[in-house]
Amino acid sequence: MTAAPDSQITAPPEPAEPAGPAGPAVRPAGAEADGSRWSRLRGPAAFVAVALLVLVVAPLLLEPFRLGLLAKYLTYAIVALGIGLAWGKGGMLTLGQGVFFGLGGYAMGMYLKLNDAGGDLPDFMVWSGVERLPALWKPFGNPVFAIGMVLVLPFAVALLLGVLVFRQRVRGAYFAILTQALAAAMVILLVGQQGLTGGTNGLTNFFDFFGNDLATEETQRGLYLLVATVLGVLYLLAWQLVRSRFGRLLVAVRDGEDRVRFLGYNPATVKTLTFAVSAGMAGIAGALFVPVVGIISPALLGVVPSLELVVAVAVGGRFALAGAVLGAVVMGYARTYFSEELPDAWLYLQGALFILVMTLAPRGLTGLAGTLRQAWKSRRAAA
């Protein structure tokens, strides 16, 4: 028995499309292209919808106090966005983002204190017995310099730390412990410099923000819109970065750093740049936090606040940038709600919320939403 020649081998016929009332069903031309185009535009479309909701609806429905709380949650969301980029996409568990948050916050706070003093010493320096303005403070009287330091200072510190650490191939738990130790050391340094940083109390009692009275509702509403806009711009930049070639290389480093190195790339460079970008985001968040809340102190940038932000990213879903933002807002609202309704048990309830989400949805809230969406599609396809 001989095999048939290749020219006589034919593929089995494809199943026919089910016939409808007017004949066989025909797929419209370009349907696949439309589907792929929608898959590419679905993310930006959802972002635009949420942005309109945040920018337009929230200021109309929320009273000034609640709107200020939402603005504070959004500053945390900016930090969480950087953590999601470094941890979720790059695999770098950073437990010291509070350091960079504090650097940006103190840079903005120093300018605001000098601006309120009007050429005199800030109030806390007078109480501490300081007679002359320290040389470190003098350049921060210039608003351009202060705003530049908000981004440059955290970026430069993270860049230096990344060069020193990642070249030695420090990663995993060792990198996490190192960043945690950096946060603890930063708190000790700030508390010990009473006349320079305000000590335990930090910098507070701000009255003017670039010519606007911080006590008015119009200024607070404008600050909310500013924070929401900055968060939206940074989210789009991070989203584009993840979709770029650099973003794909970052994910490859996370999943197999040694393989990337064998292919000729330098994982240390990729991780250092990503870590510096996430630090810059935290610095911007700290600078916005100061006029919104009215204080920056060592208690806001220690180990515990940094861990809470990591927990928020895990709750929202660290593998998606939107999950990091969602987790920060959800955990911030949960903390406020539980502390108002159940002040004696809110810490336990917040911990229970974290355990519940991690048990039922290990990939966070966004991962749970994706699982439910796939289940719904499978059920429809089966039907």
Side-chain angles (χ1 to χ4, degrees):
M1 187 173 182
T2 59
D6 294 343
S7 59
Q8 296 179 1
I9 298 178
T10 58
E14 297 183 358
E17 294 282 353
V26 179
R27 181 182 298 273
E32 296 181 358
D34 292 341
S36 61
R37 187 182 301 111
W38 165 245
S39 65
R40 292 193 301 268
L41 298 178
R42 181 171 53 190
F47 171 80
V48 171
V50 174
L52 291 176
L53 178 66
V54 171
L55 291 175
V56 177
V57 178
L60 298 177
L61 299 181
L62 297 178
E63 58 184 11
F65 175 71
R66 298 297 174 183
L67 190 64
L69 288 178
L70 181 57
K72 182 176 71 172
Y73 303 155
L74 294 184
T75 60
Y76 291 150
I78 296 176
V79 187
L81 181 64
I83 296 176
L85 186 64
W87 182 32
K89 302 300 181 181
M92 295 171 285
L93 178 56
T94 169
L95 302 180
Q97 290 297 98
V99 173
F100 311 114
F101 180 85
L103 290 175
Y106 271 91
M108 178 59 69
M110 291 166 71
Y111 164 73
L112 295 181
K113 293 299 292 183
L114 291 175
N115 183 57
D116 291 338
D120 298 328
L121 289 177
D123 50 7
F124 75 91
M125 289 187 182
V126 177
W127 303 334
S128 302
V130 178
E131 298 180 356
R132 297 179 57 185
L133 186 67
L136 179 63
W137 275 70
K138 292 181 179 180
F140 288 91
N142 187 333
V144 177
F145 179 84
I147 294 176
M149 287 297 102
V150 164
L151 180 61
V152 173
L153 193 58
F155 187 90
V157 172
L159 192 66
L160 177 61
L161 181 63
V163 170
L164 296 176
V165 171
F166 295 127
R167 283 191 175 183
Q168 302 299 324
R169 301 186 183 181
V170 177
R171 53 186 174 181
Y174 300 100
F175 175 74
I177 294 174
L178 181 63
T179 56
Q180 189 176 31
L182 179 64
M186 186 69 175
V187 172
I188 295 174
L189 177 63
L190 293 174
V191 171
Q193 302 295 324
Q194 174 70 36
L196 191 64
T197 63
T200 305
N201 296 326
L203 306 180
T204 184
N205 295 329
F206 305 110
F207 303 103
D208 181 83
F209 182 73
F210 294 97
N212 299 288
D213 186 3
L214 288 174
T216 62
E217 295 183 3
E218 291 78 9
T219 302
Q220 291 299 320
R221 194 177 301 273
L223 285 173
Y224 166 79
L225 295 176
L226 174 62
V227 173
T229 303
V230 171
L231 173 60
V233 172
L234 292 178
Y235 179 85
L236 289 178
L237 293 176
W239 181 76
Q240 185 62 36
L241 178 65
V242 170
R243 292 174 60 89
S244 66
R245 182 181 179 184
F246 182 86
R248 294 193 294 269
L249 183 60
L250 178 63
V251 175
V253 170
R254 179 197 68 187
D255 296 337
E257 182 173 337
D258 294 332
R259 296 180 181 178
V260 173
R261 185 179 294 107
F262 294 152
L263 290 175
Y265 295 97
N266 188 358
T269 302
V270 178
K271 296 169 72 172
T272 299
L273 290 177
T274 305
F275 183 53
V277 169
S278 69
M281 291 183 180
I284 294 174
L288 295 172
F289 179 88
V290 170
V292 169
V293 181
I295 187 175
I296 183 68
S297 68
L300 297 170
L301 51 105
V303 175
V304 175
S306 300
L307 288 174
E308 289 179 347
L309 288 170
V310 172
V311 169
V313 173
V315 168
R318 69 184 181 97
F319 295 106
L321 297 177
V325 175
L326 176 64
V329 175
V330 168
M331 292 299 289
Y333 174 78
R335 180 175 183 175
T336 301
Y337 177 80
F338 290 148
S339 62
E340 291 177 349
E341 301 296 331
L342 301 169
D344 297 331
W346 70 270
L347 280 175
Y348 302 101
L349 294 175
Q350 190 178 25
L353 175 63
F354 170 70
I355 295 174
L356 181 64
V357 172
M358 290 296 96
T359 302
L360 300 180
R363 298 178 65 88
L365 296 176
T366 53
L368 177 62
T371 301
L372 295 177
R373 184 171 62 251
Q374 292 297 330
W376 172 251
K377 289 182 178 180
S378 300
R379 184 176 180 179
R380 290 185 59 186

